[in-house]
Amino acid sequence: MIRPIIAAALLLGAIPAAQASPGTQGRACIAKVIKSVELPFGPLGSWKVQVTLQITPPGGLTYETTLQDNMPWQGPPPRRGQVFRLWCDPADPTNLHLI
């Protein structure tokens, strides 16, 4: 599920509100891009991007997680300071779903 999250976040920048995927039982959180690195290895026509996100759950402690994935070369990579919303589970930092 992380791959679609990164691709959508990288291509859209600001994520519009929508329904979460079925079975998602998290909280609406704010994700802020702390660091973004374009890596030299990726399939033809793609960038490999590593993104460190600061996740802020409502009423919870802020934590950081790092994700790595391929994205189409046509889309701009995420930029430091970019903010969007997603469903998160503080007990499992890798359990992220776009809102």
Side-chain angles (χ1 to χ4, degrees), residues 52-69:
T52 301
L53 300 173
Q54 179 184 45
I55 309 294
T56 306
L61 297 174
T62 299
Y63 63 94
E64 288 186 11
T65 187
T66 300
L67 308 172
Q68 181 174 306
D69 203 355

Side-chain angles (χ1 to χ4, degrees):
M1 187 62 191
I2 292 175
R3 189 168 292 220
I5 290 172
I6 293 175
L10 302 177
L11 293 175
L12 300 178
I15 307 301
Q19 292 295 325
S21 59
T24 300
Q25 296 184 3
R27 296 188 258 176
C29 301
I30 304 295
K32 180 178 179 182
V33 177
I34 301 299
K35 181 179 176 185
S36 175
V37 179
E38 295 173 29
L39 303 171
F41 307 105
L44 186 61
S46 297
W47 299 107
K48 184 169 254 343
V49 179
Q50 183 177 24
V51 181
T52 301
L53 300 173
Q54 179 184 45
I55 309 294
T56 306
L61 297 174
T62 299
Y63 63 94
E64 288 186 11
T65 187
T66 300
L67 308 172
Q68 181 174 306
D69 203 355
N70 299 321
M71 64 170 280
W73 64 268
Q74 298 95 333
R79 297 290 177 221
R80 186 175 51 179
Q82 191 173 14
V83 178
F84 54 95
R85 293 179 46 176
L86 48 75
W87 291 108
C88 71
D89 180 3
D92 180 7
T94 61
N95 187 10
L96 303 171
H97 302 275
L98 289 176
I99 292 180

